[in-house]
Amino acid sequence: MTMDQVVEMLTSPLMQRALLAAVLVGAAAPVVGTFLVQRRMALMGDGIGHVALTGVALGWLVGSWANLVPQDALAVPGAVVAAVIGSVVIELVRERGRTSGDLALALMFYGGIAGGVLLIKVAGGTNANLISYLFGSISTVSTTDLWWTAALAAVVLGVGLGLRTALFAVSHDEEFARASGLPVRVLSMLVATIAALTVTIAMRVVGLLLVSALMIVPVAIAQLYARSFGRTMAAASITGVVVSVVGLVLTYWQDIPPGATIVVLAVLVYAVAAALRPALRRPQPVRDPHPDMVDDVLLADDDVDEMCVDEPDPAAPSR
Amino acid sequence: MPHATAEAPVVQAHGLGVALGGQHILSGVDLSVASGEVLALLGANGSGKSTLVRALLGVVPTTTGTVHLFGAPLGPSAPWSRIGYVPQRLPAAAGVPSTALEVVTSGLLHGRTLRLPHGARRRALDALAEVDLSDRAHQRVQDMSGGQQQRVLIARALVRRPDLLVLDEPTSGIDIPTQATFVDTVARLRDAGTTIVVILHELGPFAPLIDRAVVLRHGRVVHDGAPPRPRSDHADDHHDHTHAHPDPEPPPTGPTLSVEVGP
């Protein structure tokens, strides 16, 4: 590519909006993903994405009844509402910790996606509309979409970074957080809610079926190398921005789907990072992990010790 | 108790009952801990010691009774900054690494304090120094030994400078030299006037510190007073504290044949 082509790409309003959306989503999604991985809920984003499709469809249906132009003007608000409700329900099921909760979640996820597909057709949507929600349509981001994305990304980053220590405390050791009087339930719901908001903004970039990848894969890459929670989050966020932007730029010249390109790129980065880890990781200094410890177990009876070490003394009294 | 006259008791529980999964774990527990006291909670496995402590701190919901901490009812208005809790162990490692410093720093949040105060890092490093882990502040807790993790948990409780420290079996699974450092730490805190509630399986190295013992059996208090003396052979140095299953039967050997050879 030449300099002219780069300038042309950067001056295209369509591409400017798409790049901005990619940066915002690429930065915000892994911040939420870090909390989800720590809570062992890496697939939560996936579940919310399924439920959000029904929200998209309901928004569309309401839009077409109200004769709004365009018909899908309420798709994003619908997705926000459904995703937030879905994430709160998932969090309630998790809190109760029942085994039947597993089945409840499965019912919700598949009901969500099937209901969404059905309702979009009822509302007069085409297969192309459906595909754009399932797999992303970043190249058609409108100015309104961009405002939604910017506002929601600001909320997600504000909560995720501003309350980072509190959300860490709750995600790391819920029992201790309760014994500290922290509002555990509110904070857990907050994590679920910002996960839901992230799903709805990432929907445009990578699509509802791949939303979770943008939240989780950068975290998986970062934790291969990072030693702390804070650095994992920062590295994951940077990785998210880089793969989103690079993936998007690739699709400017090649006719390939942006969402899938971004996710495949992220998975490739993970594979390379994992393969290079043994070679790249700072070598741990070889040292006694417990220099302050006595070297051996305390032997209760020194006489026994001596007898084991020395030749038995024939003069010693027999035991 | 020398300090208890004017203030409200540090812990005051009345008729406490806890049911988990439809099963009564605790019933009718009354407990009052005065300021400056060192109380041991004793009892067999499953007697409800851990559940009692967790109910007192609001970790598990109570079905009956009331709890007051420093005179305030358990809830958002309780003085959480004055309470430090040391659970039995770190939760199973999640995917995201966290350093000892990050874990200890999270101990500075409590009640409605959801953001770190100024000087948080300094205070967390000081707490780590108190448990002799200064050189490991930036190491992942997941990579640490059980004893080191336990020290991180104590630092996380101490970082708020609590007036009440609650420890759940702090010495279980810890080697003897590390146990001794825990006892030293607790002795120092007691001398500074901290009230201490400690769950123990047996008094062990804590014995000289304990003012009072509460023994639970099947979720009820069966003893509240002077620390019970262990059975005399129990205190004996040579007593084997493991109560393993009886030795398995030796494997059957085939019929033995002895041959006696005459002269």
Side-chain angles (χ1 to χ4, degrees), chain A residues 34 38 40 162 165-166 168 172-173 175-176 178-183 223 226-230 232 281 289-290 293, chain B residues 54 57 59 80 85 91-97 99 102 109-112 114-116 136 140 145 148 156 160 178:
Chain A
T34 311
Q38 201 191 23
R40 299 158 171 277
T165 312
F168 168 82
H172 178 255
D173 189 345
E175 175 176 333
F176 180 76
R178 283 186 199 282
S180 304
L182 290 174
Q223 71 181 20
R227 290 218 185 139
S228 72
F229 186 83
T232 302
R281 210 153 178 227
H290 304 280
M293 288 287 134
Chain B
R54 296 162 107 224
L57 297 178
V59 177
W80 292 106
Y85 171 53
V96 183
T99 62
E102 286 175 319
L109 302 183
H110 48 76
R112 293 294 174 260
L114 298 182
R115 290 174 60 85
L116 291 175
R136 289 174 192 277
R140 298 174 176 210
S145 70
Q148 289 167 341
R156 180 177 66 175
R160 325 179 170 147
T178 314

Side-chain angles (χ1 to χ4, degrees), chain A residues 160-186:
Chain A
L161 297 179
L163 290 177
R164 194 181 66 185
T165 312
L167 298 180
F168 168 82
V170 168
S171 308
H172 178 255
D173 189 345
E174 196 171 311
E175 175 176 333
F176 180 76
R178 283 186 199 282
S180 304
L182 290 174
V184 170
R185 192 168 205 192
V186 172

Side-chain angles (χ1 to χ4, degrees), chain B residues 100-147:
Chain B
L101 184 62
E102 286 175 319
V103 172
V104 173
T105 306
S106 74
L108 284 166
L109 302 183
H110 48 76
R112 293 294 174 260
T113 307
L114 298 182
R115 290 174 60 85
L116 291 175
H118 287 290
R121 188 185 162 86
R122 183 74 255 150
R123 286 171 68 181
L125 286 171
D126 287 349
L128 278 165
E130 245 174 286
V131 295
D132 257 345
L133 279 179
S134 294
D135 53 336
R136 289 174 192 277
H138 300 285
Q139 200 180 335
R140 298 174 176 210
V141 283
Q142 288 90 340
D143 297 343
M144 292 185 173
S145 70

Side-chain angles (χ1 to χ4, degrees), chain A residues 240-277:
Chain A
V241 171
V242 171
V243 294
S244 301
V245 169
V246 172
L248 185 64
V249 169
L250 284 177
T251 63
Y252 187 75
W253 281 287
Q254 296 289 323
D255 184 22
I256 44 178
T261 307
I262 290 169
V263 173
V264 168
L265 204 59
V267 172
L268 282 178
V269 172
Y270 177 82
V272 172
L276 291 182
R277 185 160 98 120

Side-chain angles (χ1 to χ4, degrees), chain A residues 179-303:
Chain A
S180 304
L182 290 174
V184 170
R185 192 168 205 192
V186 172
L187 291 170
S188 299
M189 291 297 172
L190 214 51
V191 173
T193 307
I194 60 174
L197 297 182
T198 308
V199 164
T200 51
I201 59 172
M203 171 173 87
R204 268 296 184 194
V205 181
V206 290
L208 288 172
L209 288 186
L210 294 174
V211 155
S212 208
L214 203 52
M215 294 164 108
I216 303 304
V217 179
V219 180
I221 297 168
Q223 71 181 20
L224 286 174
Y225 291 93
R227 290 218 185 139
S228 72
F229 186 83
R231 285 185 189 188
T232 302
M233 189 180 265
S237 200
I238 292 168
T239 310
V241 171
V242 171
V243 294
S244 301
V245 169
V246 172
L248 185 64
V249 169
L250 284 177
T251 63
Y252 187 75
W253 281 287
Q254 296 289 323
D255 184 22
I256 44 178
T261 307
I262 290 169
V263 173
V264 168
L265 204 59
V267 172
L268 282 178
V269 172
Y270 177 82
V272 172
L276 291 182
R277 185 160 98 120
L280 287 183
R281 210 153 178 227
R282 268 177 288 172
Q284 296 270 353
V286 181
R287 60 171 186 179
D288 184 353
H290 304 280
D292 45 345
M293 288 287 134
V294 286
D295 279 333
D296 291 300
V297 291
L298 295 170
L299 295 175
D301 195 333
D302 282 339
D303 291 347

Side-chain angles (χ1 to χ4, degrees), chain B residues 181-244:
Chain B
T181 63
F182 284 176
V183 174
D184 288 347
T185 307
V186 170
R188 243 187 6 241
L189 291 166
R190 178 202 56 180
D191 295 342
T194 312
T195 309
I196 291 159
V197 174
V198 55
I199 295 181
L200 291 173
H201 202 64
E202 52 184 316
L203 291 177
F206 279 98
L209 298 177
I210 306 296
D211 298 324
R212 182 180 143 209
V214 166
V215 181
L216 290 177
R217 191 176 295 156
H218 303 304
R220 290 177 181 280
V221 175
V222 292
H223 170 90
D224 185 348
R229 294 199 55 78
R231 266 173 38 211
S232 55
D233 66 321
H234 223 84
D236 188 15
D237 273 348
H238 297 286
H239 176 74
D240 182 1
H241 281 283
T242 55
H243 297 272

